[in-house]
Amino acid sequence: MTEFSFDALRRAPDVEADNLFAVDASDRLILDEAAEALEETAGHPGTVVVIGDNYGALTLGAAAVLDLHGIRVHQDARAGELALAANARRAADIDLSGRFTHQPLGRALLEGARVVLLQLPRSLAALDDISRAIAAYADPSVVVYAGGRVKHMTPAMNDVLGTSFEEVTATLARQKSRVLIAERRREGIAPALPRREHHDDLDLWVCASGNAFAGTKIDIGTRLLIDHLDEMVPDARTAVDLGCGTGVLAALLARSRGDLRVIATDQSAAAVESATATMAANGLAQRVDVVRDDALSGFDDDSADLILLNPPFHVGSTVHAGIALKLFEAAGRVLRPGGELWTVFNSHLAYRAALQRAVGPTRQVDRNAKFTVMVSTGR
Ligand SMILES: C[S@@+](CC[C@H](N)C(=O)[O-])C[C@H]1O[C@@H](n2cnc3c(N)ncnc32)[C@H](O)[C@@H]1O
């Protein structure tokens, strides 16, 4: 049997810190609850799907302990995909890289699936998109083992799963974790399309899938940055909307400057799907490239004149500054000397020193009761 250790799992290239973990009790509980069903798939190779695995605990646990092959995996975060790939090479006494493939949420991921292991997303909209996709594409016999930390679970999650499955039951809690088991998928469920909303004040369609930040709304921090779009590097040729979410900033920037090349980038698959839909809905698909990438890893040094950033302050469910710092450093590398990084963040977050270190001279441009806008000049 393959020797495998959860303790060998790492989060890198996602932020690593003492209070951030690559595996938690809910991963182990999902695998334990699903163990019998997973063993029964032995006669049906390639029928196990993993969705929302954080850093590979579910995929590699199933691959190593139950000796599974042909696991199809969907992870929203690009950093999570990279961590799974790295862990596959290190967490067991054999290389598990060949045991799984990554797929977008859709037919190729789910067709013929009999067992789905799911780390419950925080957002009900994301859970709804996932459960509809499973009901639409998986084998009629499919059973979903959806687990999470009890403190992040709500009864509304049972209701959302109940829209797509006739039976939803909860296991007993263990180590502050619980699993919901959904089975007997309903007939006639269609996969979700991006939601959309027209914002008359900006004459802008905003489209959102899954857990995209702010959904079809426009965040009030984002709005404060929008007020300053006209002041940003007037002769910029290339601009990057870093952590673009639904693509609001990229869309408005591209629309207001006909000769600007705009790239919208995010590590989240749902964000990329959302931003792509936002560009199409506003006739901007030819003007904005939407790219899935972890912290500008595929961008050349000194290649952008302007970068816009409304950084996240959560890493998963933990409030942590590490992710903002990682994005500041990425922006500092990709910004050309003299280029500008415009950021907006909660006023209680003291980011000026970090911006000066990672990018260059930084000044405050605007501030209201909740948010601060700063501009940093690349060196
Ligand atoms: C606060 S939201 C801002 C979204 C959008 N710019 C807006 O203003 O509505 C932060 C975004 O950063 C993205 N993000 C987080 N970590 C990232 C990373 N390592 N690389 C790229 N994007 C990341 C998140 O997925 C999220 O969409």
Side-chain angles (χ1 to χ4, degrees):
M1 186 169 135
T2 308
E3 289 289 324
F4 167 77
S5 163
F6 285 110
D7 296 334
L9 298 176
R10 298 263 315 271
R11 300 165 51 97
D14 203 356
V15 178
E16 301 206 288
D18 289 346
N19 62 339
L20 297 173
F21 304 98
V23 58
D24 70 36
S26 68
D27 292 311
R28 294 183 168 92
L29 186 61
I30 293 169
L31 286 168
D32 286 351
E33 292 292 345
E36 219 169 283
L38 288 169
E39 273 166 29
E40 280 170 17
T41 66
H44 308 276
T47 56
V48 174
V49 168
V50 178
I51 300 178
D53 202 2
N54 289 318
Y55 302 98
L58 293 177
T59 310
L60 300 177
V65 181
L66 295 149
D67 195 28
L68 294 186
H69 294 249
I71 303 171
R72 285 170 283 170
V73 182
H74 175 72
Q75 293 170 280
D76 184 66
R78 179 70 185 133
E81 287 185 354
L82 296 169
L84 164 55
N87 284 326
R89 294 189 291 271
R90 131 174 90 220
D93 57 353
I94 54 165
D95 187 340
L96 295 170
S97 305
R99 300 291 190 92
F100 60 90
T101 56
H102 278 112
Q103 306 284 349
L105 184 66
R107 185 185 293 279
L109 174 75
L110 286 155
E111 198 157 47
R114 289 168 176 252
V115 176
V116 176
L117 309 182
L118 169 64
Q119 260 295 348
L120 283 163
R122 296 289 289 281
S123 132
L124 293 178
L127 181 58
D128 192 44
D129 283 8
I130 292 166
S131 40
R132 281 175 189 276
I134 299 171
Y137 298 125
D139 189 86
S141 68
V142 70
V143 183
V144 183
Y145 296 84
R149 307 292 282 165
V150 171
K151 65 180 174 189
H152 298 143
M153 293 171 70
T154 63
M157 290 179 165
N158 300 48
D159 299 339
V160 169
L161 285 166
T163 311
S164 297
F165 295 88
E166 289 182 19
E167 205 176 308
V168 180
T169 48
T171 64
L172 291 177
R174 189 180 86 191
Q175 290 181 294
K176 300 180 182 165
S177 303
R178 195 186 286 284
V179 171
L180 303 177
I181 301 176
E183 50 201 320
R184 296 180 40 225
R185 67 160 170 78
R186 294 185 191 276
E187 290 301 320
I189 299 287
L193 293 171
R195 306 173 298 284
R196 60 191 248 161
E197 180 175 342
H198 191 260
H199 293 266
D200 294 341
D201 55 335
L202 296 168
D203 188 20
L204 186 76
W205 284 103
V206 177
C207 303
S209 296
N211 61 358
F213 173 74
T216 60
K217 305 290 173 212
I218 298 178
D219 171 59
I220 47 173
T222 308
R223 280 190 179 275
L224 195 61
L225 202 50
I226 289 170
D227 290 345
H228 297 278
L229 288 180
D230 291 347
E231 300 156 40
M232 301 172 182
V233 205
D235 58 347
R237 307 298 301 268
T238 302
V240 177
D241 178 358
L242 171 55
C244 64
T246 57
V248 172
L249 294 167
L252 292 172
L253 196 60
R255 202 172 62 186
S256 68
R257 302 189 193 195
D259 53 353
L260 183 66
R261 174 171 180 245
V262 180
I263 307 165
T265 178
D266 203 295
Q267 72 150 344
S268 153
V272 166
E273 185 180 323
S274 307
T276 303
T278 295
M279 299 318 149
N282 292 288
L284 293 165
Q286 305 304 318
R287 292 286 326 285
V288 180
D289 290 326
V290 183
V291 177
R292 183 162 177 243
D293 187 14
D294 175 30
L296 301 177
S297 68
F299 287 63
D300 290 338
D301 293 3
D302 301 341
S303 59
D305 305 308
L306 170 62
I307 301 180
L308 280 66
L309 173 62
N310 176 2
F313 56 94
H314 279 98
V315 178
S317 55
T318 310
V319 175
H320 199 280
I323 184 62
L325 303 183
K326 173 173 161 172
L327 296 180
F328 295 164
E329 273 159 28
R333 179 182 65 75
V334 170
L335 203 60
R336 68 156 170 80
E340 290 176 357
L341 167 68
W342 285 71
T343 40
V344 62
F345 47 83
N346 264 288
S347 294
H348 71 268
L349 296 164
Y351 280 156
R352 190 199 292 253
L355 284 164
Q356 304 227 130
R357 251 193 326 274
V359 184
T362 298
R363 69 185 162 84
Q364 180 179 308
V365 175
D366 201 349
R367 186 184 178 99
N368 63 24
K370 257 194 112 177
F371 290 98
T372 296
V373 173
M374 289 205 179
V375 57
S376 310
T377 304
R379 41 166 186 247

